[in-house]
Amino acid sequence: MSAPLHDERPTLLRDRSFWGLNLTQFLGAFNDNLFKQLVLLLCLAQAHEGSDLQGLGLILFASPFIAISGYAGFLSDRYNKRTIIVLCKVAEVLIVLLGMVGFMTGSLPFLLGVLCLMGVHSAFFGPSKYGILPEMLRAQDLPRANGMILMATFLAIIFGLAAAGLAMQKFASTLWLASLPCLFIAVAGLVSSLFIRPTPTAQPNLKFAISSMAIAPDTRRLLRENHTLLGVLLMSSVFWFIGGTIYPPAINALCEAQFHLEHLWTGLLAASTGVGIAIGCMIAGVLSKDRVRSWIVRMGAWGLTFSLLLLAIPGPGWDAARDEIKTMKLQKQAKAAGNVAEGKDGVNSSETVLADKMIAAAENPKPDSVVNEYYRGTLLGPRGSAVALIAVGLFAGFFSVPLQVYLQATAPVEQKGRIIGAMNLMNWIGIAGAGVVYSIGRFILVDWLMFPYATIFGFAAVLMLPVALFYRPPDAQIQS
């Protein structure tokens, strides 16, 4: 009975509505990542004062997803998804204006608040964006459509991260100027969202319950009964938990604190992961065709594990990199000792002498060879790390696309929005957890053990290893 309806839908590449959604997603992802990376780089700059606040930034960005993803899924089933998408784009314009104010005032707390608002916007946008795909497209087009949307998303991440690095380097004292293009892009995203055609409302009579703020009872019941679907949701959350630990905070720390690259090169190296993800998503979409293929997910899990481990392997300059971390610690202690000494009488106090010795030690690090200076404690160095980060992204695409297609294709029509809302909720619990784990990992590995920043990638590989060893993803035919 449903075949004629499917036959009437345009093919994917000729579907103006799909291209409108894809462009809307691209522009929104660009703005999100440009702003988020600028704020995270400002947070990383606080590390010289004793606190790397990137973990806090990730937690603030992820918190709205945890708080309202379930409710956003309810709204996407209760109301027209296209209307929600358009309203989200209106909100994005207003949030970009607030970001401009934050950069003008130079207030990091205000910018962190705007970052949290961006999380609110994205939490409402996600369920409607992904939920509308199976309503708008033919079932056989879902794998390719997901691959293309994810590829566009990570191309936007590439450009957003690179643009953030360039903005930090060229407009460090006038970052609000970097927000002007963001305003035009937000308006363009609003215009492109108008090309998306409306689809029927999934459940126009759906009643709100307080449980909709988390996972609705019907959805919880479905997940309890369908262990495969629950497993896919959990693995999606674990994937983002591990990914959020390294992308972008660990990459930023590796590039700026260990490799001492300029902001532009930090953005480009972080963007190299996005290159890999874009390629991986497209390949996974093509290889999947009309099936969810478990071997693609398993290849992604093992590839991620080995690529992350490769980034952490020690190389020339390991000891020098550790000495540098010790030096930074000495500088902070020296500054603290000097501040204490200034508060006491007598210029020859023992605290002042100690401070002078510590500063002298900090300002005269051990000499290093040219080779060690280039590799800076890693086997790969900056160029090899860029290749490994592309591999990380490639295998991330392999891992994520089939799982996402499975959720969209197998969730009941009347619950697609809430299932995707539940996926968003669990993914962002993972990302918020990643902010905590990054902060803990940095404290233990870097601040306490004084290992180079690259070891954080090894920590992420250890977290990914059980997934590669024990998870058995589903293999299923996509029904038309």
Side-chain angles (χ1 to χ4, degrees), residues 258-259 311-319 321 372 374-380 452 454:
Q258 188 167 339
F259 289 154
L311 282 160
I313 296 176
W318 169 271
D319 290 335
N372 289 356
Y374 175 75
Y375 286 95
R376 298 200 60 80
T378 65
L379 178 68
L380 300 178

Side-chain angles (χ1 to χ4, degrees), residues 320 323-325 327-328 331 359-368:
D323 288 343
E324 190 171 83
I325 293 169
T327 294
M328 184 178 293
Q331 287 175 328
I359 292 172
E363 291 178 348
N364 294 282
K366 296 177 183 178
D368 202 3

Side-chain angles (χ1 to χ4, degrees), residues 28-42:
F30 177 90
N31 267 352
D32 272 1
N33 284 276
L34 172 58
F35 183 82
K36 183 171 70 173
Q37 178 71 344
L38 286 174
V39 175
L40 290 180
L41 288 174
L42 292 173

Side-chain angles (χ1 to χ4, degrees), residues 8-12 14-21 80-83 85 132-133 135-138 192-200:
E8 291 173 2
R9 300 179 189 183
T11 58
L12 183 65
R14 296 183 178 181
D15 192 337
R16 186 178 73 167
S17 185
F18 168 72
W19 289 112
L21 177 63
N80 186 274
K81 292 179 177 65
R82 189 250 194 189
T83 301
I85 290 171
I132 202 171
L133 281 176
E135 298 174 358
M136 188 172 69
L137 304 175
R138 302 177 305 169
S192 65
S193 70
L194 300 176
F195 286 88
I196 302 170
R197 66 175 173 271
T199 57

Side-chain angles (χ1 to χ4, degrees), residues 44-58:
L44 179 61
Q46 298 295 311
H48 297 292
E49 302 298 324
S51 300
D52 180 352
L53 298 178
Q54 290 187 98
L56 175 62
L58 272 183

Side-chain angles (χ1 to χ4, degrees), residues 310-373:
L310 195 61
L311 282 160
I313 296 176
W318 169 271
D319 290 335
R322 292 196 68 191
D323 288 343
E324 190 171 83
I325 293 169
K326 295 174 185 176
T327 294
M328 184 178 293
K329 192 170 184 179
L330 283 173
Q331 287 175 328
K332 294 172 185 176
Q333 292 172 347
K335 184 177 179 181
N339 290 339
V340 171
E342 288 176 3
K344 297 184 177 181
D345 295 332
V347 294
N348 293 320
S349 68
S350 59
E351 289 88 350
T352 303
V353 174
L354 175 62
D356 290 341
K357 288 181 179 179
M358 293 168 73
I359 292 172
E363 291 178 348
N364 294 282
K366 296 177 183 178
D368 202 3
S369 70
V370 174
V371 173
N372 289 356
E373 183 66 26

